Amino acid sequence: MTVTTLTDVVRQAQAEGRTVLTEEESKALLSQAGVRVTETRLAISKARAVALAKETGYPVVLKIASPDITHKSDVGGVRLNLATAAAVRRAYDEIVASARAKAPGAHIQGVTVQPMAPSGGVEVIVGMSRDRQFGPVLMFGLGGVAVEVLQDVAFRIVPLTRRDAREMVQEIKGYGLLTGFRSTPPVDLKALEELLLRVSDLAERTPGLAEMDLNPVMAYSDGTIAVDARMVLEKE
Ligand code: ADP
Ligand code: MG
């Protein structure tokens, strides 16, 4: 990836008149901040997607790359666990066709290619938004229905202390899912706390960031990895 510094990314976004950063750009910034992400690369053709898949190593994930599409799965824009070049070719066509049909008018750059994260993790989410009064605020919760339906989330004001990070993880109702549940081993709680601290640090250092959304992050017994990310810049 060539565009990696915040200045580069912001300049690029501003030149294109957008405030929403792509998954690729958001992950590059997170990676720089010490947050582990699935390395994500843009393919603007099917042949390039196949080449990137080979470089990445199978199985891979293909996702629609469009600054106008926020919820990629809603438009049929995410294909997981692709194990062969033929599967990548097919997924490329299907994703682009589906996105064109379901999001007419969206500017489609191509698709991104990234490694499939191992199974057996617990999906969590980390978010940052700016409160008029308190400034940047961090949110933590379990992924999926836990956040959308149950609103089982914890909030703290940035900058987080180590103790804040620990408390945020422990105070969600779904905490028991993180400490080992049936066949799922306990997740690495230290790594989760470290993740929260790094996102807090990034938010504190970067006043131009209005929002961050790491959704989801896979939490394992030996670390975490963010598989989807989105950032929004403050309007100038
Ligand atoms: P959306 O824009 O719809 O939020 P995501 O990138 O979050 O799209 O992908 C949808 C779902 O696919 C995620 O919630 C996660 O369960 C799964 N997923 C996405 N990327 C990966 C990956 N690299 N490895 C494993 N699972 C993934
Ligand atoms: Mg997502």
Side-chain angles (χ1 to χ4, degrees), residues 24 28 42-43 74 80 91 93 102 105 108 128 130 136 160 172 174 189 212 216 225:
E24 196 198 356
L42 177 67
D74 289 357
L80 305 174
D93 286 337
K102 292 189 175 148
I108 293 168
M128 186 279 287
R130 279 179 197 272
L160 256 64
I172 59 166
L189 296 174
M212 276 192 263
I225 188 158

Side-chain angles (χ1 to χ4, degrees), residues 14-87:
Q14 282 171 345
E16 292 171 19
R18 52 186 172 91
T19 53
V20 178
L21 302 186
T22 64
E23 179 178 350
E24 196 198 356
E25 291 167 336
S26 305
K27 283 177 167 174
L29 297 181
L30 284 168
S31 181
Q32 268 193 344
V35 172
R36 206 168 147 234
V37 300
T38 42
E39 198 195 332
T40 299
R41 297 163 74 192
L42 177 67
I44 58 169
S45 73
K46 208 191 311 186
R48 182 73 182 141
V50 172
L52 288 179
K54 194 174 172 203
E55 280 175 28
T56 301
Y58 291 105
V60 297
V61 174
L62 257 56
K63 300 184 192 178
I64 192 72
S66 165
D68 305 317
I69 298 173
T70 305
H71 299 291
K72 299 175 289 291
S73 11
D74 289 357
V75 300
V78 179
R79 296 291 303 273
L80 305 174
N81 223 1
L82 304 167
T84 62

Side-chain angles (χ1 to χ4, degrees), residues 76-108:
V78 179
R79 296 291 303 273
L80 305 174
N81 223 1
L82 304 167
T84 62
V88 167
R89 270 188 224 107
R90 204 175 324 122
Y92 188 99
D93 286 337
E94 286 170 2
I95 285 175
V96 172
S98 176
R100 287 226 169 93
K102 292 189 175 148
H107 169 63
I108 293 168

Side-chain angles (χ1 to χ4, degrees), residues 10 32 66 73 117 144 157 168 179 203:
V10 169
Q32 268 193 344
S66 165
S73 11
I157 296 170
M168 276 179 97
T179 55

Side-chain angles (χ1 to χ4, degrees), residues 35-37 124 188 191-193 195 217-220 222-226:
V35 172
R36 206 168 147 234
V37 300
V124 302
D188 185 345
L192 265 188
E193 291 167 21
L195 165 70
V217 175
M218 305 294 190
Y220 301 101
D222 60 348
T224 66
I225 188 158

Side-chain angles (χ1 to χ4, degrees), residues 97-213:
S98 176
R100 287 226 169 93
K102 292 189 175 148
H107 169 63
I108 293 168
Q109 300 172 309
V111 305
T112 60
V113 180
Q114 65 188 278
M116 180 73 194
S119 60
V122 178
E123 293 195 9
V124 302
I125 72 170
V126 179
M128 186 279 287
S129 58
R130 279 179 197 272
D131 181 273
R132 207 179 281 259
Q133 206 168 349
F134 300 116
V137 176
L138 232 64
M139 186 202 74
F140 171 76
L142 296 178
V145 288
V147 165
E148 282 167 34
V149 183
L150 308 174
Q151 282 161 12
D152 180 19
V153 288
F155 292 93
R156 285 294 183 286
I157 296 170
V158 168
L160 256 64
T161 62
R162 200 160 272 281
R163 180 189 178 139
D164 286 330
R166 191 177 331 121
E167 286 175 356
M168 276 179 97
V169 173
Q170 289 177 351
E171 78 185 32
I172 59 166
K173 294 191 198 73
Y175 178 60
L177 291 170
L178 300 174
T179 55
F181 181 74
R182 299 203 175 141
S183 60
T184 314
V187 313
D188 185 345
L189 296 174
K190 276 276 155 294
L192 265 188
E193 291 167 21
E194 201 57 46
L195 165 70
L196 290 170
L197 290 170
R198 289 189 181 174
V199 175
S200 165
D201 185 51
L202 178 62
E204 194 189 5
R205 285 188 285 113
T206 322
L209 277 184
E211 281 174 45
M212 276 192 263
D213 199 13

